[in-house]
Amino acid sequence: RIADFQEVLGEPTVALAKLRHLCFSGIPFDGGLRCLCWKILLNYLPLEKALWSSLLKKQRDLYSQFLKEMIIQPGIAKANLGVSREDVTLEDHPLNPNPDSRWNTYFKDNEVLLQIDKDVRRLYPDMAFFQRPTDYPCLLILDPQNEFETLRKRVEQTTLKSQTVARNRSGVTNVSSPLKTTPNSLSEYEVLPNGCEAHWEVVERILFIYAKLNPGIAYVQGMNEIVGPLYYTFATDPNSEWKEHAEADTFFCFTNLMAEIRDNFIKSLDDSQCGITYKMEKVYSTLKEKDVELYLKLQEQNIKPQFFAFRWLTLLLSQEFLLPDVIRIWDSLFADDKRFDFLLLVCCAMLTLIRDQLLEGDFTLNMRLLQDYPISDVHLILKKAKELQDSK
């Protein structure tokens, strides 16, 4: 299989159909194949290999520019603006009511930042990876010569008790069950020494810059669950030349992926053709075609797709399985040329695989099964989804 991948990726122009076909059945981790394939499937890398190095350089430089403008500059401006007393008489000061005031923007950004911070600190709490220091901390920001304010410092200094960003969507992250307590105060986390950065801090920066560049959607809870597996995959690339640029590459792949699924996160589009409600209904209409008995049972118990499929679809199943399994599912999802039609079939497969339990269970039992899905073998689920696809 590795040789098959190497052959397709070795051509001067990658044959996309062949690559999709190979990736659909799972991508080997060896030699950084997955990282490379994902970058092609998410339209970050063009099919002509000759263009790769110039494109990567251009995009990574652009990302550095974003860091300078959106993280370093506001920090410096804040330091300069707040130095002396007479500054208060200048046009721009912390109490300036003008919406264009840099301070105003700074405080608004902090509200979004606090929400991101809260979410990224609890990424995959059962894995140590996100708490560990990265081998490639962002030197632009952590250079000891600079007195820049990192996002971590900014969160620590922000006394605004951020009203949780009002964009929290119903049921998206149903992560904190009473049993899973997440550390609340900063002190409960191991603080890394100066000059080090944990992986979660890198993810925080990616999301913050995305929110700044996309004010129409900004940050919505759950995006952290989409960026997590992408960043993990790129930051564990066995090829160190790629791994070093995991942050910038993740940012652009995340941006491209969000361009395809962002409608799921926009509340005002929920009931439109491209919104999440339409997709959830589609899971049920597909189920009705494939297994009418199970469909009727769920209808009869008034189990609406919103109760479970909202999270499955919006977060591309990233909350339902362990990270390595999520990554395997994403191989197939990214390889799907109809873009996420296959996800609907995976959701149907998940329902039909527990049909006997669902047919016997009452409302409470069935809700528990759907909110805490019992089958962990994703190969079985993907095989079933493929059968559903082939039986069309």
Side-chain angles (χ1 to χ4, degrees):
R1 272 181 63 71
I2 293 175
D4 291 343
F5 273 92
Q6 284 168 339
E7 187 186 334
V8 172
L9 293 167
E11 296 291 326
T13 301
V14 177
L16 187 58
K18 271 190 196 165
L19 185 70
R20 283 190 192 283
H21 180 72
L22 283 174
C23 295
F24 188 81
S25 314
I27 307 170
F29 176 72
D30 312 66
L33 284 175
R34 174 175 281 125
C35 308
L36 188 53
C37 291
W38 278 17
K39 286 173 179 130
I40 296 169
L41 294 173
L42 291 170
N43 303 318
Y44 177 46
L45 286 178
L47 299 176
E48 293 78 34
K49 281 177 68 175
L51 303 173
W52 286 3
S53 61
S54 63
L55 176 116
L56 288 169
K57 182 177 181 335
K58 188 174 123 244
Q59 295 300 86
R60 290 162 179 173
D61 288 349
L62 177 61
Y63 187 73
S64 296
Q65 199 50 43
F66 292 156
L67 291 177
K68 287 177 191 157
E69 285 172 22
M70 289 171 218
I71 294 180
I72 295 175
Q73 276 301 322
I76 296 175
K78 175 174 175 265
N80 294 346
L81 280 168
V83 182
S84 60
R85 284 296 299 268
E86 59 267 39
D87 269 352
V88 177
T89 56
L90 293 174
E91 286 141 56
D92 207 359
H93 56 84
L95 302 177
N96 185 345
N98 177 358
D100 299 333
S101 150
R102 275 193 293 184
W103 280 101
N104 199 348
T105 312
Y106 184 85
F107 289 136
K108 260 207 172 57
D109 289 349
N110 281 355
E111 287 183 32
V112 177
L113 178 59
L114 287 180
Q115 179 66 49
I116 294 174
D117 189 74
K118 207 165 72 186
D119 293 344
V120 293
R121 284 170 183 271
R122 57 179 185 210
L123 262 180
Y124 293 96
D126 47 347
M127 282 177 62
F129 172 79
F130 286 97
Q131 304 299 328
R132 289 205 187 110
T134 161
D135 297 339
Y136 302 101
C138 179
L139 299 178
L140 250 183
I141 290 176
L142 293 184
D143 180 347
Q145 303 298 297
N146 299 331
E147 278 301 303
F148 299 153
E149 180 185 53
T150 61
L151 290 181
R152 179 169 53 168
K153 271 195 210 152
R154 193 162 156 176
V155 169
E156 285 164 7
Q157 291 168 0
T158 300
T159 46
L160 289 172
K161 289 285 169 277
S162 148
Q163 312 71 30
T164 303
V165 175
R167 298 181 162 180
N168 184 353
R169 302 290 306 279
S170 55
V172 175
T173 36
N174 186 344
V175 274
S176 47
S177 67
L179 301 170
K180 292 188 199 161
T181 50
T182 47
N184 288 328
S185 70
L186 296 167
S187 61
E188 291 181 54
Y189 288 90
E190 187 185 343
V191 175
L192 295 172
N194 279 345
C196 289
E197 274 192 306
H199 287 291
W200 66 261
E201 292 184 68
V202 182
V203 175
E204 175 167 80
R205 222 173 14 242
I206 292 168
L207 287 167
F208 182 71
I209 288 182
Y210 178 82
K212 290 280 290 168
L213 288 171
N214 296 275
I217 181 172
Y219 172 75
V220 181
Q221 205 178 12
M223 289 181 183
N224 54 316
E225 309 294 351
I226 299 283
V227 79
L230 283 177
Y231 175 73
Y232 174 81
T233 301
F234 295 166
T236 53
D237 192 326
N239 178 342
S240 59
E241 277 172 52
W242 288 91
K243 185 175 166 178
E244 185 180 344
H245 298 285
E247 180 176 349
D249 294 349
T250 301
F251 172 80
F252 289 108
C253 287
F254 171 68
T255 301
N256 290 358
L257 178 55
M258 280 304 297
E260 299 187 32
I261 62 171
R262 61 180 282 169
D263 294 349
N264 295 347
F265 286 91
I266 300 176
K267 204 164 173 44
S268 58
L269 290 178
D270 279 0
D271 298 320
S272 70
Q273 276 271 306
C274 53
I276 189 72
T277 309
Y278 176 75
K279 291 177 186 143
M280 290 190 293
E281 298 300 341
K282 196 111 185 321
V283 172
Y284 266 22
S285 59
T286 312
L287 180 67
K288 191 177 176 181
E289 274 169 46
K290 307 288 182 191
D291 188 338
V292 74
E293 187 188 359
L294 179 55
Y295 167 79
L296 290 171
K297 174 75 176 181
L298 295 174
Q299 287 288 36
E300 175 199 316
Q301 293 190 344
N302 202 17
I303 294 181
K304 296 184 171 24
Q306 292 82 305
F307 298 159
F308 60 93
F310 182 85
R311 190 175 71 187
W312 291 6
L313 294 168
T314 310
L315 304 182
L316 307 181
L317 296 169
S318 61
Q319 286 282 285
E320 312 315 311
F321 303 100
L322 295 171
L323 187 58
D325 296 327
V326 171
I327 288 170
R328 168 62 194 92
I329 291 172
W330 284 17
D331 287 345
S332 296
L333 293 184
F334 295 166
D336 172 19
D337 59 345
K338 294 211 175 49
R339 275 322 195 206
F340 309 121
D341 276 11
F342 188 65
L343 177 59
L344 300 174
L345 293 169
V346 175
C347 294
C348 273
M350 287 168 68
L351 293 170
T352 53
L353 285 169
I354 55 170
R355 76 185 299 268
D356 296 348
Q357 291 152 278
L358 290 170
L359 290 171
E360 281 169 27
D362 60 8
F363 176 86
T364 315
L365 203 69
N366 286 346
M367 281 299 293
R368 195 171 304 146
L369 278 173
L370 294 167
Q371 296 218 325
D372 190 3
Y373 190 74
I375 296 177
S376 57
D377 181 354
V378 296
H379 297 278
L380 178 68
I381 295 167
L382 290 168
K383 184 167 164 257
K384 181 74 183 165
K386 183 80 180 100
E387 282 167 22
L388 294 175
Q389 189 181 48
D390 295 342
S391 70
K392 275 190 168 171

